[in-house]
Amino acid sequence: MDAVRVALLREVLAGTQWPGEARRFAGALRRSVVPAGAKLLLVGTEGYEPWHMAAHLVDEAAWSGQPQLAPTLVRHRVRPGAPPHLSVGLGRLAAAGRGHTVLVVAPREPGEGLLERVHDARRAGATVLSLDGGDRELGTLAHDVLSVPEDGAELDLDTVQHLVSAAAGENGPPVRRGPRRLRDRLAGLADRLMAPPPSRW
């Protein structure tokens, strides 16, 4: 989803909790990877792999000049011959500790195996963030949570991932220096839209 579509989506959702919640959660994500050398690990469940969010975060990292936002996608199953950026298995979580952020994307129950690995990473000092469907166990493990229940929410988890990844590339609330001119805002938007996306995905 490009910047224009995200802007339209935010406009449609104005007055709901979702734009603000996505920015809040994205701010927690940004802060967790600020220290020099911090690593972002992105993992889903056995039945749901967040490769789409991984690709969007790589784009946002390139466009915003914040390379620390580019995640390592941790996969439950790695196929033989997969390229290096798609060849990281669950064993990577065992090495997570201080200086790592583990972002779990789980629309449904994450499963005991994943919960144990995330718990071990947290105990070793990793920051744990959860973008989920409301799983209580995962919520208790995470330092910050954004839950999107399957029933009752205006949005699905995939759409919220777009909002979060777009907000993660933003620099947070602007410093007050007087109003920005329309020409400056349009120039910034044009720069983002014209930048070529990374081709690795």
Side-chain angles (χ1 to χ4, degrees):
M1 188 176 289
D2 59 36
V4 172
R5 289 194 180 108
V6 169
L8 290 172
L9 180 59
R10 285 174 176 162
E11 192 174 315
V12 168
L13 294 170
T16 73
Q17 66 175 342
W18 298 111
E21 280 296 286
R23 282 195 170 105
R24 178 197 62 75
F25 187 78
L29 173 60
R30 245 189 343 264
R31 286 189 300 276
S32 74
V33 296
V34 161
K39 302 288 183 195
L40 175 58
L41 304 176
L42 175 62
V43 64
T45 64
E46 193 165 354
Y48 182 87
E49 189 169 77
W51 64 267
H52 203 186
M53 184 167 193
H56 282 298
L57 284 172
V58 167
D59 289 348
E60 290 298 329
W63 291 333
S64 67
Q66 300 177 76
Q68 68 276 14
L69 287 173
T72 297
L73 179 61
V74 177
R75 309 179 74 193
H76 287 255
R77 287 178 300 279
V78 176
R79 294 195 174 103
H85 69 288
L86 297 176
S87 298
V88 179
L90 284 174
R92 182 66 181 83
L93 292 181
R98 197 166 304 284
H100 289 85
T101 295
V102 178
L103 172 55
V104 183
V105 181
R108 294 180 188 81
E109 290 182 10
E112 284 303 315
L114 180 60
L115 285 172
E116 285 175 22
R117 290 171 190 268
V118 171
H119 180 261
D120 290 346
R122 177 174 172 141
R123 236 180 9 197
T127 299
V128 177
L129 303 177
S130 177
L131 186 54
D132 60 50
D135 185 82
R136 292 179 67 184
E137 285 188 84
L138 186 54
T140 60
L141 283 178
H143 293 90
D144 205 328
V145 179
L146 179 54
S147 292
V148 186
E150 275 194 300
D151 19 327
E154 301 96 332
L155 298 181
D156 59 14
L157 190 66
D158 285 337
T159 305
V160 173
Q161 287 178 67
H162 286 296
L163 290 173
V164 169
S165 57
E170 296 171 350
N171 293 321
V175 178
R176 292 194 174 276
R177 295 181 185 142
R180 284 179 71 199
R181 295 183 311 164
L182 176 60
R183 183 184 307 174
D184 295 334
R185 293 197 308 265
L186 289 174
L189 178 59
D191 287 344
R192 288 191 67 195
L193 291 175
M194 298 303 289
S199 57
R200 41 189 304 223
W201 299 93

